[in-house]
Amino acid sequence: MTSSVCLVMVYIAVWLASAANTAQTPSDVVSDVTVVMGPEALKREKRVLAEGLATQGECDMMLDLAQVGVMPGEDGPFVYTDYESFEGMEVIQAAKLAQQGVVSVDSADKFLTLSEKARRFVHDYFGLQQELFFEYTHLVCRTAVTDSGSGRPQVDPSHKVHVDRCLLSYIDWSCSYQTELDQRHYSAVMFLNDDFKGGEFFFAHNATHNAQATVQPKCGRLVAFSSGPENPHGVQAVLQGRRCVLAMWYTLDKQHEELPRYEAREMVDSLLKPEGDQTNEKLKNEL
């Protein structure tokens, strides 16, 4: 074997060792997260189900935050069905409520940190080479109307089959782009509880409302997927109780990132500072 060949082999060995040491998997970045279902079990590529994104204590903190802070839209409750109420909260709303003393600062901080943990997992699991930005983050609760009884139609989902990145036509199941949804590239849902009846997340067969793969909600469980027409999905009817999740949409286009997150993080960080630090900073700004 010539010296040049040996030298090449040494270079290759060094490169392989370096790659082995620097390569990252989702578990390298988020060590307590476990992938429990992948494309094979979920019936299509660009789908994953993971557990361990939140502890029971963290889920309880988010549920307490939802209990106080989620609210209907400015024009009244956003309704997908007459048999449920739908309410939500954005990160900036949580930060402002913390500033007002309505909710704890820790709960607003946890809202930000849990959603960021999910974003890092999604970015790394799907092996994205470019940055993944938040497009929108929403703490969402769907609550069964207590007096709906047995009158609810059998085919009446909590959220009918849809696609996150386009407007889905139920006539020919085609997608319309160039809408306010077009900037969404990946989506994720972190479940916060399971003490309700119904409310399963499902991926649908193309051109039908039928479930292809179903996910049972559970604290700390996350389902993530690409946002295009390859992943139509919906939510089964919530028949009893209240179902809460962190719903997150991501973009690869920095132009469309969720800018209020920066304001929310700044507000929360300011509230988390010791009182002495805040006083010093105030004096510094006055000088």
Side-chain angles (χ1 to χ4, degrees), residues 139-166:
L139 171 55
V140 175
C141 294
R142 303 166 185 269
T143 307
V145 177
T146 55
D147 59 357
S148 61
S150 59
R152 186 166 185 166
Q154 188 171 2
V155 182
D156 180 44
S158 178
H159 196 159
K160 64 183 178 181
V161 175
H162 62 283
V163 172
D164 286 346
R165 196 179 177 185
C166 61

PDB file of all heavy atoms in Angstrom, residues 139-166:
ATOM      1  N   LEU A 139     -51.998  28.694  22.704  1.00  0.00           N
ATOM      2  CA  LEU A 139     -52.504  27.798  23.751  1.00  0.00           C
ATOM      3  C   LEU A 139     -54.012  27.709  23.547  1.00  0.00           C
ATOM      4  O   LEU A 139     -54.726  28.705  23.692  1.00  0.00           O
ATOM      5  CB  LEU A 139     -52.166  28.364  25.126  1.00  0.00           C
ATOM      6  CG  LEU A 139     -52.798  27.692  26.357  1.00  0.00           C
ATOM      7  CD1 LEU A 139     -52.498  26.204  26.400  1.00  0.00           C
ATOM      8  CD2 LEU A 139     -52.326  28.375  27.633  1.00  0.00           C
ATOM      9  N   VAL A 140     -54.494  26.525  23.166  1.00  0.00           N
ATOM     10  CA  VAL A 140     -55.874  26.368  22.700  1.00  0.00           C
ATOM     11  C   VAL A 140     -56.623  25.346  23.544  1.00  0.00           C
ATOM     12  O   VAL A 140     -56.097  24.266  23.835  1.00  0.00           O
ATOM     13  CB  VAL A 140     -55.892  25.901  21.227  1.00  0.00           C
ATOM     14  CG1 VAL A 140     -57.315  25.619  20.768  1.00  0.00           C
ATOM     15  CG2 VAL A 140     -55.245  26.931  20.332  1.00  0.00           C
ATOM     16  N   CYS A 141     -57.856  25.681  23.926  1.00  0.00           N
ATOM     17  CA  CYS A 141     -58.714  24.740  24.641  1.00  0.00           C
ATOM     18  C   CYS A 141     -60.053  24.606  23.919  1.00  0.00           C
ATOM     19  O   CYS A 141     -60.653  25.607  23.506  1.00  0.00           O
ATOM     20  CB  CYS A 141     -58.955  25.210  26.076  1.00  0.00           C
ATOM     21  SG  CYS A 141     -57.464  25.215  27.112  1.00  0.00           S
ATOM     22  N   ARG A 142     -60.489  23.363  23.792  1.00  0.00           N
ATOM     23  CA  ARG A 142     -61.807  23.048  23.225  1.00  0.00           C
ATOM     24  C   ARG A 142     -62.617  22.386  24.338  1.00  0.00           C
ATOM     25  O   ARG A 142     -62.178  21.393  24.911  1.00  0.00           O
ATOM     26  CB  ARG A 142     -61.678  22.092  22.039  1.00  0.00           C
ATOM     27  CG  ARG A 142     -60.775  22.595  20.917  1.00  0.00           C
ATOM     28  CD  ARG A 142     -60.421  21.473  19.937  1.00  0.00           C
ATOM     29  NE  ARG A 142     -59.472  21.930  18.936  1.00  0.00           N
ATOM     30  CZ  ARG A 142     -59.809  22.448  17.768  1.00  0.00           C
ATOM     31  NH1 ARG A 142     -61.100  22.563  17.451  1.00  0.00           N
ATOM     32  NH2 ARG A 142     -58.898  22.848  16.915  1.00  0.00           N
ATOM     33  N   THR A 143     -63.786  22.921  24.624  1.00  0.00           N
ATOM     34  CA  THR A 143     -64.586  22.442  25.744  1.00  0.00           C
ATOM     35  C   THR A 143     -65.953  21.996  25.266  1.00  0.00           C
ATOM     36  O   THR A 143     -66.643  22.740  24.548  1.00  0.00           O
ATOM     37  CB  THR A 143     -64.760  23.551  26.802  1.00  0.00           C
ATOM     38  OG1 THR A 143     -63.472  24.057  27.169  1.00  0.00           O
ATOM     39  CG2 THR A 143     -65.464  23.015  28.032  1.00  0.00           C
ATOM     40  N   ALA A 144     -66.327  20.781  25.647  1.00  0.00           N
ATOM     41  CA  ALA A 144     -67.647  20.272  25.270  1.00  0.00           C
ATOM     42  C   ALA A 144     -68.733  21.087  25.956  1.00  0.00           C
ATOM     43  O   ALA A 144     -68.622  21.413  27.139  1.00  0.00           O
ATOM     44  CB  ALA A 144     -67.769  18.800  25.651  1.00  0.00           C
ATOM     45  N   VAL A 145     -69.772  21.439  25.218  1.00  0.00           N
ATOM     46  CA  VAL A 145     -70.915  22.137  25.795  1.00  0.00           C
ATOM     47  C   VAL A 145     -71.674  21.153  26.668  1.00  0.00           C
ATOM     48  O   VAL A 145     -72.075  20.077  26.215  1.00  0.00           O
ATOM     49  CB  VAL A 145     -71.824  22.701  24.695  1.00  0.00           C
ATOM     50  CG1 VAL A 145     -73.054  23.358  25.294  1.00  0.00           C
ATOM     51  CG2 VAL A 145     -71.049  23.694  23.837  1.00  0.00           C
ATOM     52  N   THR A 146     -71.868  21.503  27.934  1.00  0.00           N
ATOM     53  CA  THR A 146     -72.391  20.535  28.903  1.00  0.00           C
ATOM     54  C   THR A 146     -73.803  20.069  28.582  1.00  0.00           C
ATOM     55  O   THR A 146     -74.173  18.951  28.909  1.00  0.00           O
ATOM     56  CB  THR A 146     -72.375  21.140  30.317  1.00  0.00           C
ATOM     57  OG1 THR A 146     -73.097  22.380  30.310  1.00  0.00           O
ATOM     58  CG2 THR A 146     -70.946  21.395  30.764  1.00  0.00           C
ATOM     59  N   ASP A 147     -74.592  20.912  27.923  1.00  0.00           N
ATOM     60  CA  ASP A 147     -75.976  20.517  27.675  1.00  0.00           C
ATOM     61  C   ASP A 147     -76.190  19.960  26.268  1.00  0.00           C
ATOM     62  O   ASP A 147     -77.303  19.868  25.785  1.00  0.00           O
ATOM     63  CB  ASP A 147     -76.923  21.700  27.901  1.00  0.00           C
ATOM     64  CG  ASP A 147     -76.602  22.886  26.988  1.00  0.00           C
ATOM     65  OD1 ASP A 147     -75.612  22.801  26.237  1.00  0.00           O
ATOM     66  OD2 ASP A 147     -77.356  23.885  27.041  1.00  0.00           O
ATOM     67  N   SER A 148     -75.078  19.595  25.574  1.00  0.00           N
ATOM     68  CA  SER A 148     -75.227  19.074  24.213  1.00  0.00           C
ATOM     69  C   SER A 148     -75.855  17.690  24.207  1.00  0.00           C
ATOM     70  O   SER A 148     -76.531  17.306  23.264  1.00  0.00           O
ATOM     71  CB  SER A 148     -73.860  19.028  23.514  1.00  0.00           C
ATOM     72  OG  SER A 148     -72.974  18.170  24.207  1.00  0.00           O
ATOM     73  N   GLY A 149     -75.628  16.934  25.302  1.00  0.00           N
ATOM     74  CA  GLY A 149     -76.266  15.623  25.445  1.00  0.00           C
ATOM     75  C   GLY A 149     -75.973  14.710  24.274  1.00  0.00           C
ATOM     76  O   GLY A 149     -74.904  14.710  23.696  1.00  0.00           O
ATOM     77  N   SER A 150     -76.968  13.934  23.907  1.00  0.00           N
ATOM     78  CA  SER A 150     -76.806  12.958  22.826  1.00  0.00           C
ATOM     79  C   SER A 150     -77.272  13.519  21.489  1.00  0.00           C
ATOM     80  O   SER A 150     -77.393  12.794  20.514  1.00  0.00           O
ATOM     81  CB  SER A 150     -77.597  11.685  23.154  1.00  0.00           C
ATOM     82  OG  SER A 150     -78.970  12.005  23.328  1.00  0.00           O
ATOM     83  N   GLY A 151     -77.535  14.836  21.449  1.00  0.00           N
ATOM     84  CA  GLY A 151     -78.051  15.420  20.222  1.00  0.00           C
ATOM     85  C   GLY A 151     -76.992  15.724  19.181  1.00  0.00           C
ATOM     86  O   GLY A 151     -77.318  16.125  18.063  1.00  0.00           O
ATOM     87  N   ARG A 152     -75.716  15.541  19.519  1.00  0.00           N
ATOM     88  CA  ARG A 152     -74.661  15.877  18.572  1.00  0.00           C
ATOM     89  C   ARG A 152     -74.640  14.885  17.412  1.00  0.00           C
ATOM     90  O   ARG A 152     -74.653  13.669  17.621  1.00  0.00           O
ATOM     91  CB  ARG A 152     -73.305  15.873  19.281  1.00  0.00           C
ATOM     92  CG  ARG A 152     -72.152  16.348  18.409  1.00  0.00           C
ATOM     93  CD  ARG A 152     -70.921  16.640  19.238  1.00  0.00           C
ATOM     94  NE  ARG A 152     -69.850  17.206  18.437  1.00  0.00           N
ATOM     95  CZ  ARG A 152     -68.771  17.796  18.940  1.00  0.00           C
ATOM     96  NH1 ARG A 152     -68.618  17.891  20.248  1.00  0.00           N
ATOM     97  NH2 ARG A 152     -67.839  18.298  18.148  1.00  0.00           N
ATOM     98  N   PRO A 153     -74.583  15.394  16.181  1.00  0.00           N
ATOM     99  CA  PRO A 153     -74.515  14.484  15.023  1.00  0.00           C
ATOM    100  C   PRO A 153     -73.297  13.581  15.113  1.00  0.00           C
ATOM    101  O   PRO A 153     -72.256  13.972  15.655  1.00  0.00           O
ATOM    102  CB  PRO A 153     -74.406  15.443  13.834  1.00  0.00           C
ATOM    103  CG  PRO A 153     -74.952  16.732  14.332  1.00  0.00           C
ATOM    104  CD  PRO A 153     -74.608  16.801  15.790  1.00  0.00           C
ATOM    105  N   GLN A 154     -73.410  12.385  14.572  1.00  0.00           N
ATOM    106  CA  GLN A 154     -72.309  11.427  14.649  1.00  0.00           C
ATOM    107  C   GLN A 154     -71.085  11.941  13.882  1.00  0.00           C
ATOM    108  O   GLN A 154     -69.952  11.729  14.294  1.00  0.00           O
ATOM    109  CB  GLN A 154     -72.761  10.066  14.076  1.00  0.00           C
ATOM    110  CG  GLN A 154     -71.748   8.965  14.289  1.00  0.00           C
ATOM    111  CD  GLN A 154     -72.303   7.599  13.911  1.00  0.00           C
ATOM    112  OE1 GLN A 154     -73.437   7.494  13.451  1.00  0.00           O
ATOM    113  NE2 GLN A 154     -71.517   6.563  14.113  1.00  0.00           N
ATOM    114  N   VAL A 155     -71.331  12.621  12.768  1.00  0.00           N
ATOM    115  CA  VAL A 155     -70.234  13.179  11.986  1.00  0.00           C
ATOM    116  C   VAL A 155     -70.181  14.686  12.261  1.00  0.00           C
ATOM    117  O   VAL A 155     -70.791  15.484  11.551  1.00  0.00           O
ATOM    118  CB  VAL A 155     -70.427  12.907  10.479  1.00  0.00           C
ATOM    119  CG1 VAL A 155     -69.233  13.453   9.699  1.00  0.00           C
ATOM    120  CG2 VAL A 155     -70.597  11.419  10.229  1.00  0.00           C
ATOM    121  N   ASP A 156     -69.523  15.046  13.316  1.00  0.00           N
ATOM    122  CA  ASP A 156     -69.385  16.447  13.697  1.00  0.00           C
ATOM    123  C   ASP A 156     -68.075  16.609  14.454  1.00  0.00           C
ATOM    124  O   ASP A 156     -68.044  16.631  15.688  1.00  0.00           O
ATOM    125  CB  ASP A 156     -70.566  16.898  14.565  1.00  0.00           C
ATOM    126  CG  ASP A 156     -70.451  18.360  14.972  1.00  0.00           C
ATOM    127  OD1 ASP A 156     -70.114  19.191  14.112  1.00  0.00           O
ATOM    128  OD2 ASP A 156     -70.667  18.667  16.163  1.00  0.00           O
ATOM    129  N   PRO A 157     -66.943  16.702  13.731  1.00  0.00           N
ATOM    130  CA  PRO A 157     -65.642  16.770  14.401  1.00  0.00           C
ATOM    131  C   PRO A 157     -65.447  18.079  15.130  1.00  0.00           C
ATOM    132  O   PRO A 157     -66.111  19.081  14.868  1.00  0.00           O
ATOM    133  CB  PRO A 157     -64.647  16.630  13.234  1.00  0.00           C
ATOM    134  CG  PRO A 157     -65.381  17.197  12.064  1.00  0.00           C
ATOM    135  CD  PRO A 157     -66.826  16.797  12.265  1.00  0.00           C
ATOM    136  N   SER A 158     -64.506  18.067  16.051  1.00  0.00           N
ATOM    137  CA  SER A 158     -64.123  19.296  16.734  1.00  0.00           C
ATOM    138  C   SER A 158     -63.466  20.256  15.744  1.00  0.00           C
ATOM    139  O   SER A 158     -63.700  21.461  15.777  1.00  0.00           O
ATOM    140  CB  SER A 158     -63.157  18.982  17.879  1.00  0.00           C
ATOM    141  OG  SER A 158     -62.739  20.155  18.533  1.00  0.00           O
ATOM    142  N   HIS A 159     -62.642  19.711  14.873  1.00  0.00           N
ATOM    143  CA  HIS A 159     -62.014  20.493  13.806  1.00  0.00           C
ATOM    144  C   HIS A 159     -61.966  19.609  12.571  1.00  0.00           C
ATOM    145  O   HIS A 159     -61.295  18.579  12.565  1.00  0.00           O
ATOM    146  CB  HIS A 159     -60.604  20.921  14.210  1.00  0.00           C
ATOM    147  CG  HIS A 159     -60.041  22.026  13.372  1.00  0.00           C
ATOM    148  ND1 HIS A 159     -59.013  22.823  13.792  1.00  0.00           N
ATOM    149  CD2 HIS A 159     -60.372  22.478  12.128  1.00  0.00           C
ATOM    150  CE1 HIS A 159     -58.727  23.719  12.860  1.00  0.00           C
ATOM    151  NE2 HIS A 159     -59.536  23.513  11.836  1.00  0.00           N
ATOM    152  N   LYS A 160     -62.705  19.991  11.545  1.00  0.00           N
ATOM    153  CA  LYS A 160     -62.799  19.138  10.359  1.00  0.00           C
ATOM    154  C   LYS A 160     -61.459  19.049   9.643  1.00  0.00           C
ATOM    155  O   LYS A 160     -60.540  19.843   9.880  1.00  0.00           O
ATOM    156  CB  LYS A 160     -63.875  19.654   9.420  1.00  0.00           C
ATOM    157  CG  LYS A 160     -63.620  21.017   8.825  1.00  0.00           C
ATOM    158  CD  LYS A 160     -64.807  21.447   7.964  1.00  0.00           C
ATOM    159  CE  LYS A 160     -64.594  22.847   7.380  1.00  0.00           C
ATOM    160  NZ  LYS A 160     -65.750  23.263   6.563  1.00  0.00           N
ATOM    161  N   VAL A 161     -61.348  18.077   8.754  1.00  0.00           N
ATOM    162  CA  VAL A 161     -60.108  17.840   8.025  1.00  0.00           C
ATOM    163  C   VAL A 161     -59.681  19.108   7.293  1.00  0.00           C
ATOM    164  O   VAL A 161     -60.487  19.759   6.616  1.00  0.00           O
ATOM    165  CB  VAL A 161     -60.286  16.679   7.027  1.00  0.00           C
ATOM    166  CG1 VAL A 161     -59.024  16.520   6.174  1.00  0.00           C
ATOM    167  CG2 VAL A 161     -60.596  15.384   7.773  1.00  0.00           C
ATOM    168  N   HIS A 162     -58.413  19.456   7.442  1.00  0.00           N
ATOM    169  CA  HIS A 162     -57.886  20.671   6.819  1.00  0.00           C
ATOM    170  C   HIS A 162     -56.390  20.500   6.585  1.00  0.00           C
ATOM    171  O   HIS A 162     -55.778  19.513   7.013  1.00  0.00           O
ATOM    172  CB  HIS A 162     -58.148  21.889   7.721  1.00  0.00           C
ATOM    173  CG  HIS A 162     -57.468  21.780   9.049  1.00  0.00           C
ATOM    174  ND1 HIS A 162     -57.942  20.975  10.075  1.00  0.00           N
ATOM    175  CD2 HIS A 162     -56.324  22.372   9.526  1.00  0.00           C
ATOM    176  CE1 HIS A 162     -57.142  21.078  11.113  1.00  0.00           C
ATOM    177  NE2 HIS A 162     -56.161  21.899  10.818  1.00  0.00           N
ATOM    178  N   VAL A 163     -55.808  21.470   5.918  1.00  0.00           N
ATOM    179  CA  VAL A 163     -54.363  21.515   5.673  1.00  0.00           C
ATOM    180  C   VAL A 163     -53.867  22.858   6.185  1.00  0.00           C
ATOM    181  O   VAL A 163     -54.484  23.893   5.954  1.00  0.00           O
ATOM    182  CB  VAL A 163     -54.057  21.358   4.167  1.00  0.00           C
ATOM    183  CG1 VAL A 163     -52.570  21.601   3.889  1.00  0.00           C
ATOM    184  CG2 VAL A 163     -54.463  19.970   3.686  1.00  0.00           C
ATOM    185  N   ASP A 164     -52.751  22.852   6.897  1.00  0.00           N
ATOM    186  CA  ASP A 164     -52.289  24.076   7.551  1.00  0.00           C
ATOM    187  C   ASP A 164     -51.715  25.112   6.590  1.00  0.00           C
ATOM    188  O   ASP A 164     -51.708  26.308   6.901  1.00  0.00           O
ATOM    189  CB  ASP A 164     -51.224  23.734   8.602  1.00  0.00           C
ATOM    190  CG  ASP A 164     -51.827  23.088   9.830  1.00  0.00           C
ATOM    191  OD1 ASP A 164     -53.051  23.140   9.997  1.00  0.00           O
ATOM    192  OD2 ASP A 164     -51.058  22.521  10.639  1.00  0.00           O
ATOM    193  N   ARG A 165     -51.239  24.682   5.428  1.00  0.00           N
ATOM    194  CA  ARG A 165     -50.537  25.606   4.540  1.00  0.00           C
ATOM    195  C   ARG A 165     -51.405  26.126   3.392  1.00  0.00           C
ATOM    196  O   ARG A 165     -50.970  26.987   2.631  1.00  0.00           O
ATOM    197  CB  ARG A 165     -49.277  24.935   3.977  1.00  0.00           C
ATOM    198  CG  ARG A 165     -48.305  25.913   3.371  1.00  0.00           C
ATOM    199  CD  ARG A 165     -47.048  25.272   2.833  1.00  0.00           C
ATOM    200  NE  ARG A 165     -46.206  26.266   2.198  1.00  0.00           N
ATOM    201  CZ  ARG A 165     -45.085  25.981   1.552  1.00  0.00           C
ATOM    202  NH1 ARG A 165     -44.672  24.734   1.444  1.00  0.00           N
ATOM    203  NH2 ARG A 165     -44.385  26.955   0.987  1.00  0.00           N
ATOM    204  N   CYS A 166     -52.599  25.619   3.241  1.00  0.00           N
ATOM    205  CA  CYS A 166     -53.428  26.036   2.114  1.00  0.00           C
ATOM    206  C   CYS A 166     -54.895  25.877   2.480  1.00  0.00           C
ATOM    207  O   CYS A 166     -55.235  25.268   3.488  1.00  0.00           O
ATOM    208  CB  CYS A 166     -53.101  25.212   0.868  1.00  0.00           C
ATOM    209  SG  CYS A 166     -53.401  23.444   1.089  1.00  0.00           S
TER     210      CYS A 166
END
